[in-house]
Amino acid sequence: MAHRKVALDVHRLTHERDSGRAVIDAPYTVMALRHVLRGVEMTRTHVKTEAARQLVSDALEAFDRAVPGGKHARDVIEHFDEYAMGVGNLQQPQVRNFRQRQPDDQLSEEFRHRLEWAGTGDERRPVYVAGPYRIDVLAAEDAAFRLICDTYEALLLDEGRPVPRGWAYEVQRGSLRCE
């Protein structure tokens, strides 16, 4: 369900030119990506075979490489009240006791979040910026979908019905031709 939200938001961002709606949807898209990760992490703890667990772990690592900073961006969005004051965990990590952190306008500005559009000409890509973290929303959706497909493959492997790695993604994205 979380990935469906991400995919729907990507469709809206890329096909509907309502910039007001895009600004509203984008932070929740990043949060939905985190829900995808949490579901996959839950799956990893419940599969029975080491091979399936390793496949899920590899898939999570691939997602992290494709969406660097995704967890931190979600933290900035989720804890917007702290980051708006400059007292978020990523802003003042050296001050472990939250109550000892002092509001900081400069840190607040450095960690503001917003939707930007990257690219030139006709190819514009939505990028959600949360402080120093830039999430290419199209790349993140594809990485989340690949992660879900890899997790499905891990479940099949766990049930003793292995398929080639990448098979589910290729079938679902229509890259394989059935002859």
Side-chain angles (χ1 to χ4, degrees):
M1 208 165 53
H3 175 263
R4 300 285 293 177
K5 159 102 175 103
V6 173
L8 177 61
D9 288 350
V10 165
H11 177 78
R12 287 181 185 152
L13 286 167
T14 57
H15 292 89
E16 298 174 12
R17 297 296 179 193
D18 181 354
S19 62
R21 183 177 193 146
V23 169
I24 292 168
D25 283 345
Y28 298 102
T29 305
V30 175
M31 292 179 72
L33 285 168
R34 180 67 183 135
H35 287 276
V36 170
L37 286 172
R38 291 177 79 183
V40 171
E41 289 165 349
M42 182 180 72
T43 302
R44 179 174 53 183
T45 64
H46 292 288
V47 292
K48 295 173 180 56
T49 64
E50 183 54 37
R53 198 171 1 270
Q54 187 61 50
L55 177 55
V56 175
S57 293
D58 293 348
L60 284 163
E61 288 175 17
F63 179 87
D64 287 341
R65 284 191 305 274
V67 189
K71 180 190 180 310
H72 293 315
R74 196 269 331 166
D75 289 344
V76 173
I77 295 164
E78 175 74 16
H79 303 286
F80 70 90
D81 52 338
E82 296 169 11
Y83 286 90
M85 293 179 54
V87 297
N89 288 339
L90 298 169
Q91 292 165 316
Q92 296 188 34
Q94 71 283 6
V95 183
R96 292 181 110 26
N97 185 336
F98 178 78
R99 293 179 185 191
Q100 293 178 346
R101 294 179 185 163
Q102 295 298 311
D104 186 316
D105 289 341
Q106 182 178 343
L107 287 174
S108 173
E109 182 62 25
E110 290 173 10
F111 276 78
R112 68 185 177 89
H113 48 100
R114 64 205 174 274
L115 177 65
E116 293 182 353
W117 294 90
T120 57
D122 290 341
E123 208 238 339
R124 294 181 30 191
R125 296 176 72 85
V127 176
Y128 200 76
V129 180
Y133 310 103
R134 299 179 61 82
I135 308 300
D136 178 320
V137 178
L138 298 178
E141 182 279 328
D142 188 64
F145 188 72
R146 185 175 296 276
L147 178 60
I148 289 168
C149 290
D150 288 348
T151 303
Y152 174 68
E153 292 172 7
L155 290 169
L156 290 175
L157 178 61
D158 204 47
E159 294 172 352
R161 300 184 297 143
V163 296
R165 178 85 188 265
W167 170 83
Y169 177 85
E170 294 297 324
V171 168
Q172 291 297 316
R173 287 287 156 135
S175 296
L176 289 180
R177 292 192 180 112
C178 298
E179 296 181 30

